[in-house]
Amino acid sequence: MHRAFLSSLFLSYGLLFLQNTLPVVSWSTFIVSHTAGQDDTPALTAAMANYSSNSTILFQKGITYNIFTPIKFPTLTNVEILIEGNLTYPTNITAIQGAYSGAWFDFTGGTNVTLQGSTDPNWGWIDGHGQAWWNINQQTNRPHGWAFSHITNGVIRDLKLWKPIGWNFATSGSNNVHIYNNIILAVSDNSSAFPFNTIAYTILLAFSAGGSNLLFENNHVENGDDCITVGSGAINITVKNSYCANGHGLSIGSLGEDGAVADVENVLFENIVMANCLYGARFKSWTGGNGVARNITWKNIAFYNVPFPIYVTQNYWDQEDGPKPNSTTLNNTHIEDFLFENFVGTVRDVPYVEGSCVTDPCWYAVTNATGKEVIILDLYPNTTSNILAKDIFAKTETGARVAAMCDPTTISNDVGFVCQDGPFIPTKAGL
């Protein structure tokens, strides 16, 4: 009995000793200051060295902050950035071009970093004033938006971007990041002014690293480029329960430019609405590329007025790089285990010119296509394995029969429909 009492006593004193000797982590809060008419970036930059760990950086509700020059965050550890006020870029285009440095909000690395906006409909907006750029088709020294780079264990949530100039979010080299409940509105007020390159989310190769273990969900995107693009180096990516309008699809690539070796694995797009987009599901690689994209699934996709609901090409080119390259090589980035499952919607088969078209024919024109194709597989022989389109339900706007484009010499399995340039006819594997 005495032994039990002594053991209990020693345990109590031991716990008390540990409580008194364990380090206490203090938490600091920095409220970003604002001066009317002045750039608020310098004061924030000067203070960040003291708030790079165990801190909250707060943009207060009720204030519109002037982010007139780029913000470059130091390496952060256990930091949350709360955007409860509004942020505004400069309205002067030349001022932005003069300060151009890549991303306007640049994260250089860190662990346990949260970037959080506001659920208040009137606050937490980041205004890029992109309309002025789109009106004059100004594409020189356009800043990217948010480079959330080399972050381990991160969160991007509740952000609201209004008329961003160009590319919005990049997660290059980041791991274990949750991106959710964000709104991106890159919609032009002028029908002749197109929001070029307003890619919503980019997961791409940055030097030798790509994004991994990323979850995107419950995001709302209206833009003029890819809703999301997954680039080389990306692995274990999930995109689900989201809405995309007016853009260029749920994209893998482009991959393999200038013979680059690509590596993309384990990507899932699921439960997504594609409205008035140019593409739905999209894969794009350059002729002459190397490497592989494997285990990619697009599932439960609703599409409305989409000219190319499912589009896979190994002949991609970028009109910004000049004329389409004349390559005779049959080498290409390989495709393995691609699944397109449960697509429902309407194919836009009426005449149209999409806003990014600056060439004749347009860069997205497909030779010999009828405009009624629900799926186009533009492939090279001996570069693909196990592609399947299953439960594809589509109709055209005009009521014409839905078609497909596919060369049977380029496939190695039953792809779920009769591989031909002609009517879309499901096979047993596609039902």
Side-chain angles (χ1 to χ4, degrees):
M1 180 176 180
H2 294 292
R3 185 177 301 168
F5 172 76
L6 288 173
S7 296
S8 175
L9 185 63
F10 282 129
L11 178 60
S12 299
Y13 275 111
L15 291 174
L16 182 62
F17 173 78
L18 288 174
Q19 290 172 355
N20 290 331
T21 57
L22 286 174
V24 176
V25 177
S26 62
W27 193 271
S28 303
T29 297
F30 174 69
I31 299 176
V32 181
S33 61
H34 169 67
T35 303
Q38 301 297 313
D39 183 8
D40 294 322
T41 297
L44 171 59
T45 301
M48 276 195 295
N50 297 320
Y51 296 92
S52 61
S53 62
N54 304 321
S55 297
T56 296
I57 297 173
L58 173 64
F59 293 87
Q60 282 186 293
K61 181 178 178 178
I63 297 175
T64 296
Y65 290 88
N66 301 319
I67 310 302
F68 289 167
T69 50
I71 297 175
K72 187 169 186 175
F73 294 92
T75 299
L76 304 175
T77 303
N78 303 330
V79 172
E80 58 178 8
I81 299 166
L82 305 182
I83 303 176
E84 297 181 358
N86 293 335
L87 310 185
T88 180
Y89 285 56
T91 57
N92 186 308
I93 291 176
T94 57
I96 290 182
Q97 291 173 319
Y100 173 79
S101 62
W104 210 250
F105 300 88
D106 189 4
F107 292 77
T108 57
T111 304
N112 300 331
V113 179
T114 294
L115 176 60
Q116 182 173 341
S118 171
T119 57
D120 188 316
N122 298 313
W123 293 100
W125 288 93
I126 298 102
D127 190 350
H129 302 287
Q131 188 70 53
W133 295 70
W134 309 336
N135 286 344
I136 61 175
N137 193 22
Q138 177 56 261
Q139 299 190 42
T140 302
N141 285 356
R142 293 175 298 163
H144 292 213
W146 299 80
F148 201 72
S149 304
H150 304 287
I151 302 295
T152 299
N153 303 332
V155 172
I156 302 174
R157 59 172 295 188
D158 301 322
L159 290 190
K160 301 190 289 289
L161 275 57
W162 175 255
K163 294 186 183 294
I165 297 167
W167 304 262
N168 292 295
F169 291 100
T171 55
S172 307
S174 291
N175 177 53
N176 193 28
V177 179
H178 191 188
I179 302 98
Y180 65 103
N181 294 348
N182 301 292
I183 298 173
I184 299 173
L185 300 178
V187 180
S188 178
D189 298 330
N190 180 353
S191 61
S192 62
F194 188 77
F196 279 93
N197 300 121
T198 46
I199 295 173
Y201 300 101
T202 307
I203 314 163
L204 45 69
L205 182 68
F207 301 105
S208 61
S212 59
N213 304 309
L214 308 179
L215 171 59
F216 296 78
E217 60 180 335
N218 301 321
N219 295 300
H220 180 106
V221 177
E222 300 179 40
N223 68 334
D225 211 308
D226 298 339
C227 183
I228 186 165
T229 180
V230 179
S232 186
I235 183 170
N236 299 335
I237 312 299
T238 298
V239 183
K240 65 180 185 178
N241 304 334
S242 295
Y243 175 89
C244 303
N246 311 324
H248 291 175
L250 307 168
S251 299
I252 304 292
S254 64
L255 305 177
E257 184 176 5
D258 296 325
V261 179
D263 181 21
V264 179
E265 299 184 43
N266 307 335
V267 181
L268 171 64
F269 302 96
E270 185 176 23
N271 300 335
I272 300 174
V273 174
M274 308 297 292
N276 301 308
C277 296
L278 183 61
Y279 299 95
R282 185 185 187 197
F283 173 86
K284 44 184 174 174
S285 66
W286 294 70
T287 299
N290 294 282
V292 64
R294 62 165 61 92
N295 193 26
I296 317 294
T297 296
W298 292 262
K299 184 177 181 180
N300 300 339
I301 308 297
F303 58 94
Y304 303 99
N305 303 332
V306 175
F308 303 103
I310 302 174
Y311 185 78
V312 178
T313 181
Q314 294 176 318
N315 285 291
Y316 178 76
W317 70 288
D318 190 333
Q319 65 181 349
E320 293 180 355
D321 293 343
K324 190 171 184 176
N326 183 20
S327 176
T328 59
T329 179
L330 297 181
N331 194 50
N332 214 299
T333 303
H334 282 227
I335 293 171
E336 300 177 6
D337 303 324
F338 274 29
L339 174 62
F340 306 91
E341 183 176 4
N342 195 28
F343 278 62
V344 180
T346 55
V347 180
R348 184 177 186 180
D349 65 333
V350 297
Y352 68 95
V353 176
E354 201 263 348
S356 65
C357 175
V358 296
T359 58
D360 186 15
C362 290
W363 64 270
Y364 52 79
V366 178
T367 303
N368 298 324
T370 65
K372 306 180 190 307
E373 289 81 8
V374 67
I375 184 167
I376 295 176
L377 301 183
D378 177 25
L379 306 171
Y380 282 88
N382 304 315
T383 61
T384 70
S385 64
N386 195 27
I387 299 175
L388 177 62
K390 181 179 180 181
D391 297 331
I392 308 299
F393 305 99
K395 62 181 181 178
T396 61
E397 288 188 23
T398 65
R401 187 170 183 178
V402 174
M405 288 190 76
C406 180
D407 181 351
T409 67
T410 64
I411 62 173
S412 58
N413 65 283
D414 182 346
V415 292
F417 62 97
V418 177
C419 183
Q420 63 180 358
D421 292 352
F424 176 76
I425 304 173
T427 61
K428 184 176 180 180
L431 296 175

